[in-house]
Structure formats: structure tokens, C-alpha cells
Amino acid sequence: MEKKKIVLPGEFLSTEEEFAAGRNTFDSDDGNVYSKIIGSVEQDNQTKEVSVKPTVDWNGLKRGVIVLGRVELVKDSAVMVTLMLEPGNPKKQILVPGSAMIPIRNVSRDYVERLKDVFKVGDIVRARVAKIMPGPTVDLETNQPDLGVVKAFCSHCRKPLHQFGPNLKCMVCGSTESRKLARAYSTK
Ligand SMILES: [Zn+2]
């Protein structure tokens, strides 16, 4: 089977003369057709339409579902997360990187001043799907005791951190760190 071309939102697909805008695409004033979503390109030579099929597996992903994700980026207003079926196995991603996020207001019931103090890149988080929006993007929340970071790595030497009371400690370099921890933080 021919390998399908994967496109990003806003990526050029065709001129309107060649193919009309089909599913998950839009035509622009410049006479070109662009993708609305991340997915694979499908050109129908009969109907002369170009469409994009979502690469995201939405099976079972809905509001209230508990997911695991890896923190990719910590910004001022939100944490970008890659959702996974199995943490540590990049082949088991269920969404493309950066398409899920935890907005700062969804992090905790306590006041969070700086997201950098409660999440770090590489952390594995247990979160609940709060909202699914077109794009696709997913808003997550960790504002329950059972939600938050379940595994974290030392920001100095990348070794797994161990929990000591409310904090985390690196047994290799001695660094002490804080996170928004889930009740079931992994000690392994
Ligand atoms: Zn360390």
C-alpha cells in the first residue's frame, strides 16, 4: 500500500483547480486548499476532492477518561503533554506530541503560581480529559489527589526521583524537587 502523506494544520494540500476542499480541509482566498487537522492526505480522483483523515485514534478518548502522558513543554499558561497508552513506549502514543495540554487553572485545587514549580519536561502524568476541541486538541486536568505526576526525573542528572513526604529527592545527586504529585507516585 502506498504510504500516505501526513500533514499538519494549515499545510498546503492542492490548488482549488486540481482538487476541491473535502473533509477536514478549507479553501483560502489565495485559491489553495489547506488542511485543518493533523492527518493523512486522501485525494479522490473521481470527485476531485482532497480530504484529510485524522491520524488520531479517538477510540475511548472522551471527557472524564483517565490518561497517561509525558510532559513535553512547560509554558507560563499551560503544560504540553503527549498522551500515551504505555509511558516510556513512544510507539504507543495515542495523540501527536503537543496536542494535549494542562491549562494552569486545571492543575490543582491549590493556587499554582508558576507551572515550572510543579511540572518538568519528561514527567509522566496521570490526568483526566477535561475537554476535547477541534484541531484536535485536548484539555487535561490534574486537580484531584489521584491525578498529577506519577513519575519524575531529576532535572540535574535525569535519574528517577524518589518521594520523601511532599517532595521528591534524587538519590544520585541529592537534588530536592517539587511537583504536583499524584497520590500513587511511582517509587520504582
Ligand atoms: Zn540527580
Side-chain angles (χ1 to χ4, degrees):
M1 211 175 79
E2 191 191 345
K3 196 162 182 284
K4 295 258 174 72
K5 192 192 170 200
I6 302 292
V7 290
L8 298 171
E11 194 165 331
F12 170 82
L13 299 173
S14 169
T15 63
E16 283 181 83
E17 282 167 16
E18 285 179 284
F19 288 96
R23 265 181 315 115
N24 302 318
T25 72
F26 63 95
D27 42 25
S28 176
D29 291 342
D30 60 9
N32 294 325
V33 181
Y34 299 93
S35 181
K36 269 189 202 167
I37 63 165
I38 298 164
S40 57
V41 180
E42 292 184 332
Q43 293 180 341
D44 190 324
N45 289 312
Q46 247 94 61
T47 62
K48 289 285 169 195
E49 262 188 7
V50 60
S51 310
V52 179
K53 191 178 166 205
T55 47
V56 175
D57 179 7
W58 291 102
N59 269 346
L61 194 66
K62 56 180 185 240
R63 193 167 186 276
V65 167
I66 302 288
V67 291
L68 282 169
R70 187 183 58 236
V71 173
E72 301 292 343
L73 190 65
V74 182
K75 304 213 276 189
D76 289 342
S77 58
V79 177
M80 314 305 286
V81 173
T82 298
L83 298 186
M84 293 171 295
L85 292 175
E86 288 174 22
N89 184 349
K91 285 183 181 154
K92 293 276 183 174
Q93 284 181 8
I94 54 173
L95 279 177
V96 289
S99 56
M101 66 175 112
I102 313 169
I104 190 165
R105 65 177 184 281
N106 288 4
V107 167
S108 174
R109 286 177 172 175
D110 301 326
Y111 174 66
V112 175
E113 192 179 354
R114 297 191 330 147
L115 279 175
K116 285 182 190 339
D117 295 337
V118 289
F119 291 107
K120 292 224 165 32
V121 170
D123 288 353
I124 304 299
V125 293
R126 188 169 188 269
R128 181 181 289 122
V129 174
K131 195 159 73 168
I132 299 178
M133 293 156 291
T137 56
V138 176
D139 267 8
L140 304 171
E141 59 191 7
T142 56
N143 51 10
Q144 299 287 333
D146 58 329
L147 304 176
V149 174
V150 291
K151 191 163 182 68
F153 301 89
C154 176
S155 52
H156 300 282
C157 72
R158 305 308 300 163
K159 292 286 185 296
L161 292 167
H162 292 251
Q163 186 175 4
F164 287 87
N167 291 318
L168 297 172
K169 195 171 177 188
C170 177
M171 306 305 280
V172 178
C173 76
S175 171
T176 302
E177 305 194 8
S178 62
R179 298 288 198 278
K180 195 296 177 185
L181 291 178
R183 197 190 281 132
Y185 182 80
S186 170
T187 48
K188 285 190 275 290

